[in-house]
Amino acid sequence: MFFFLYFLSRVEHPAAGYKKIFETVEELNEAIPAEITGDIPSWLGGSLLRMGPGLFEVGDEPFHHLFDGQALMHKFDLKDGQVTYFRRFIRTDAYVRAMTEKRIVITEFGTAAYPDPCKNIFSRFFTYCRGIEVTDNCLVNIYPIGEDFYAVTETNYITKVDPDSLETLKKVDLCKYLSVNGVSAHPHRDTDGTVYNIGNCFGKNMSLAYNIIKIPPRQKDESDPFEKSQVVVQLPSSERLKPSYVHSFGMTDNHFVFVEQPVKINLFKFLSAWGLRGATYMDCFESNETMGTLFHVATKDSGGYLSSHKFRTSAFNIFHHINTYEDEGFIVVDVCAWKGYEFVYNYLYMANIRQEWEEVKKAAMRAPQPEVRRYVLPLDIHREEQGKNLVSLSYTTATAVLNSDGTIWLEPEVLFSAPKQAFEFPQINYSRCCGKKYSFAYGLGLNHFIPDRIVKLNVQTKETWVWQEEECYPSEPVFVPTPGATEEDDGVLLSVVVKPGADRPGFLLVLDAVKLTELARAEVSTNIPVTLHGMYKP
C-alpha cells in the first residue's frame, strides 16, 4: 500500500487538464439529467450541495486568487434511481454589483477593487476614502442553522439560500447578533442541531481575542435562532494586535480545541486597507517566525478557558481539523498540517495553479510540506512530572512534555506523509464519530496542489486506499452512512469529478466507502469548476 502511494507521487499531468476546473461557467436555467453507469444504492436519495468559485473574471478584470471567484452553488439530486445536476450563482452584493457595473466592485481575498474609472477624479478620491467594503462572496461552504441553509465565507456575512431552487433569500450580518468580526467556514453541529463556531473579535483597549459562539437549534416558538445566539467562551490571542488566521477548530463531547497558528493578520495593515491605498485581505497576512503553534482548550458546557494548560509545538499552518476526541484523560487532535510558518495560501494565486504542469510542480516544491498529524493533550497535569512524556495512550507515539516554565511541549505522531502529496479537505462519519474515537478519515488528495485522487486513511493502522483515474480531478469526498449501518465505514463517498475533454466532462462519483471501489457515476454534458466544501442533504 505504501508502495502504491509512492507510485502515485509520480503521477504526472502534462496535458494540464486541471486548468478546466479554474474556468468560468454559466449558471443553468433548469436541472439537466445525468447519464448513469453502474448502480446507485437504492437507499441513496437526497441532494449533494457544493460551493465554490464559478466566475473567475468580470469583463476584462480577472480575479487573482482561488478564493476570489464569485460563489456558485451546485446541486446533484438523487431520486428514484435518477440523477440531475443544477447550479446557480449566489446573488450576493459582490456578484450583483459586479454584474451591474461590469467590473469588480468589492475587494475579495486576493483581488483589489478600484473606483469606477468613469467617475470624475473627486468621486474616485472619495471612493478610496470610504475604503474597502467587506465581501459577502460566500463561496466556501454551506451548512444548516435551524431549518435553514446558509452559504458562507469567512467574513461576518452569511447568505440564506433555498437548497431546492438554489435561490438567494437573505443576507445576514452576524455582527448584529454576536461579538465577532467574522466566523470560520467550518462550524460544528450537535445532534440536537446546535451550531458552534469560532471567530476573532476586538476586545477591550483594542486587544484581540477568539470567541466561540453557540447558535441554538430551531425554536419551538419559531423565533430566529440568531436572536438567541451567544458567546460561549473567549480565548486569548498570543499577540495583542495580530490574531491568527482561523479556518476550523476541534470539538469533543466536553471541550473545544483551538490551534493558534503563526499565520497572523496584521491589524495595522488591515485597517490601512480601509484607507486610501488599494489592498486585499492577502496583503494583511504575515508570519510570526518565532511563536511556533499554540493549542488552547476550553470546557464546552461551562465555557471555562483552561488557562493553566499551555500547550506549544513547532510552527505549522492548519486549515482543517479531521477529528478531536477524549480518551483516558487525554484530548486527541488529528489535523491536516503544513510544516512551517509560511502561509500556504501564498501558493494559491490563479497565476500559480493555472501554469503548465512542470511550473506548477516547481512552485509547489517551494511551499510547506503537508502531513496528517496527531497531537495528544493531557488534561491531568502535575508539576512533579517535568521532563517526562505525559502521554500514556498505548496506540500513539505522540508526546507531551512539561517544561519548567509550565508550558507543555507537544510532538505529533505522523499519520500520513508523502512528498508534496497532501491529504486535505478531510471528512469523517460525522454523525457517528465527531468528538469520539474513530478509525477512518476520507480526504481529497492534492498532488502539488492539484486535486487528482480520493484517499481513505485508517488513522489507527495508517493503511490507505486510493481512488484515482487518469485526467480526472475530484473534489472533497462527502461520507453518507448506509441506513442502519453498524460499521463506521459502511456507506458511500460522493465527489464531484471533472474529466476535461470527455463527452460528458462532469460527473458525480459514488464510491463504496469500505474499499473505495466505484459503484456508479452520473455524468453530465457540462464542465464543472472546482468546488471547495459542501454537504449531503437527505
Side-chain angles (χ1 to χ4, degrees):
M1 186 60 64
F2 291 105
F3 172 79
F4 187 38
L5 284 172
Y6 183 78
F7 170 75
L8 280 178
S9 70
R10 280 156 173 72
V11 169
E12 303 288 340
H13 300 287
Y18 50 81
K19 294 182 182 182
K20 294 296 292 185
I21 66 177
F22 308 120
E23 289 184 2
T24 293
V25 297
E26 295 182 349
E27 63 181 9
L28 299 174
N29 294 322
E30 59 184 16
I32 58 176
E35 183 169 316
I36 300 172
T37 56
D39 296 312
I40 296 176
S42 59
W43 54 265
L44 189 62
S47 301
L48 178 67
L49 304 173
R50 303 288 302 169
M51 294 301 307
L55 183 73
F56 293 89
E57 64 282 316
V58 180
D60 295 329
E61 296 184 13
F63 289 107
H64 298 306
H65 200 274
L66 177 60
F67 303 141
D68 293 344
Q70 296 302 285
L72 183 64
M73 187 173 176
H74 309 255
K75 181 179 68 156
F76 275 96
D77 268 333
L78 302 94
K79 184 178 181 181
D80 300 327
Q82 303 298 312
V83 179
T84 59
Y85 170 68
F86 187 47
R87 66 186 179 216
R88 291 193 70 183
F89 283 102
I90 306 295
R91 265 57 179 180
T92 61
D93 288 349
Y95 175 80
V96 171
R97 291 174 60 187
M99 294 299 96
T100 301
E101 299 189 31
K102 296 180 174 53
R103 65 184 185 90
I104 298 171
V105 179
I106 297 179
T107 290
E108 299 294 349
F109 198 72
T111 303
Y114 294 92
D116 187 347
C118 295
K119 293 182 178 179
N120 64 41
I121 189 171
F122 297 105
S123 297
R124 279 182 278 163
F125 175 79
F126 287 117
T127 300
Y128 265 115
C129 286
R130 285 198 300 269
I132 298 175
E133 296 179 66
V134 175
T135 183
D136 61 346
N137 182 23
C138 49
L139 78 161
V140 181
N141 202 359
I142 180 171
Y143 58 82
I145 297 177
E147 295 295 298
D148 301 318
F149 290 79
Y150 291 85
V152 302
T153 178
E154 295 183 327
T155 69
N156 53 298
Y157 295 119
I158 63 176
T159 303
K160 183 178 175 181
V161 295
D162 185 322
D164 297 318
S165 67
L166 308 191
E167 181 183 357
T168 304
L169 300 177
K170 183 173 67 173
K171 177 179 176 178
V172 175
D173 182 359
L174 292 174
C175 288
K176 293 182 177 179
Y177 306 96
L178 293 156
S179 178
V180 287
N181 301 324
V183 294
S184 88
H186 294 284
H188 282 289
R189 185 177 170 92
D190 268 345
T191 53
D192 68 353
T194 300
V195 172
Y196 295 92
N197 210 338
I198 188 170
N200 56 53
C201 70
F202 292 104
K204 294 180 180 179
N205 302 318
M206 282 296 289
S207 62
L208 287 155
Y210 310 95
N211 281 348
I212 294 179
I213 64 171
K214 175 181 179 180
I215 304 175
R218 181 184 182 184
Q219 305 295 294
K220 292 181 180 179
D221 60 4
E222 301 298 324
S223 61
D224 185 352
F226 292 112
E227 296 285 356
K228 298 183 179 180
S229 58
Q230 59 181 306
V231 174
V232 178
V233 61
Q234 186 168 95
L235 310 175
S237 172
S238 61
E239 294 186 73
R240 182 183 173 195
L241 296 175
K242 295 180 181 180
S244 290
Y245 175 64
V246 184
H247 191 76
S248 65
F249 67 109
M251 185 178 82
T252 73
D253 288 342
N254 303 299
H255 292 89
F256 300 110
V257 176
F258 165 56
V259 180
E260 189 178 15
Q261 63 179 316
V263 175
K264 295 288 186 173
I265 303 170
N266 186 313
L267 183 60
F268 291 113
K269 291 181 181 179
F270 189 72
L271 293 176
S272 67
W274 262 247
L276 293 177
R277 66 186 181 91
T280 71
Y281 296 89
M282 279 294 292
D283 294 324
C284 303
F285 288 106
E286 62 182 42
S287 294
N288 184 321
E289 301 179 10
T290 60
M291 73 167 277
T293 304
L294 312 179
F295 284 69
H296 299 273
V297 179
T299 55
K300 184 177 175 185
D301 291 335
S302 61
Y305 173 57
L306 303 187
S307 58
S308 60
H309 292 58
K310 302 181 185 301
F311 300 106
R312 308 181 69 92
T313 190
S314 55
F316 69 91
N317 282 209
I318 176 175
F319 308 107
H320 298 118
H321 285 250
I322 300 174
N323 197 16
T324 307
Y325 65 89
E326 297 171 40
D327 190 16
E328 299 180 20
F330 298 91
I331 298 179
V332 179
V333 185
D334 292 349
V335 299
C336 299
W338 298 77
K339 293 181 182 179
Y341 51 78
E342 186 185 6
F343 197 19
V344 173
Y345 287 1
N346 291 337
Y347 294 87
L348 298 181
Y349 281 95
M350 302 308 298
N352 291 338
I353 56 181
R354 280 175 168 164
Q355 295 183 102
E356 297 302 321
W357 176 237
E358 290 302 319
E359 295 304 313
V360 167
K361 288 198 297 182
K362 286 179 183 178
M365 292 305 293
R366 298 189 295 270
Q369 167 70 19
E371 284 185 343
V372 176
R373 293 179 175 179
R374 166 166 289 176
Y375 289 90
V376 178
L377 285 54
L379 290 172
D380 190 13
I381 300 167
H382 304 284
R383 183 153 301 272
E384 63 270 15
E385 296 178 322
Q386 285 184 31
K388 292 171 52 180
N389 175 23
L390 305 181
V391 179
S392 58
L393 295 177
S394 61
Y395 54 81
T396 182
T397 58
T399 62
V401 176
L402 180 64
N403 296 323
S404 58
D405 63 0
T407 61
I408 301 165
W409 184 262
L410 305 174
E411 287 291 344
E413 176 184 7
V414 176
L415 302 180
F416 174 84
S417 181
K420 300 305 171 184
Q421 308 292 305
F423 178 100
E424 263 289 357
F425 296 83
Q427 291 278 309
I428 61 172
N429 184 338
Y430 190 89
S431 60
R432 174 173 173 154
C433 299
C434 178
K436 297 177 173 59
K437 191 175 181 179
Y438 72 118
S439 296
F440 301 109
Y442 312 92
L444 180 64
L446 303 181
N447 180 3
H448 297 76
F449 291 114
I450 301 302
D452 66 2
R453 65 200 185 280
I454 295 170
V455 182
K456 175 183 179 180
L457 171 65
N458 185 323
V459 298
Q460 296 186 25
T461 67
K462 303 181 185 178
E463 185 179 8
T464 56
W465 297 259
V466 175
W467 178 90
Q468 187 172 46
E469 186 173 304
E470 187 176 358
E471 290 301 317
C472 278
Y473 304 97
S475 65
E476 169 193 65
V478 175
F479 179 84
V480 184
T482 302
T486 57
E487 299 297 324
E488 178 187 329
D489 59 348
D490 185 354
V492 299
L493 297 178
L494 302 179
S495 177
V496 178
V497 183
V498 180
K499 190 170 187 176
D503 292 338
R504 293 180 296 276
F507 62 90
L508 173 66
L509 176 66
V510 184
L511 295 177
D512 174 2
V514 176
K515 298 180 179 179
L516 240 59
T517 53
E518 181 173 333
L519 298 175
R521 63 178 62 184
E523 300 172 312
V524 291
S525 55
T526 183
N527 188 55
I528 301 174
V530 61
T531 63
L532 301 175
H533 299 289
M535 61 170 290
Y536 176 75
K537 175 181 173 291

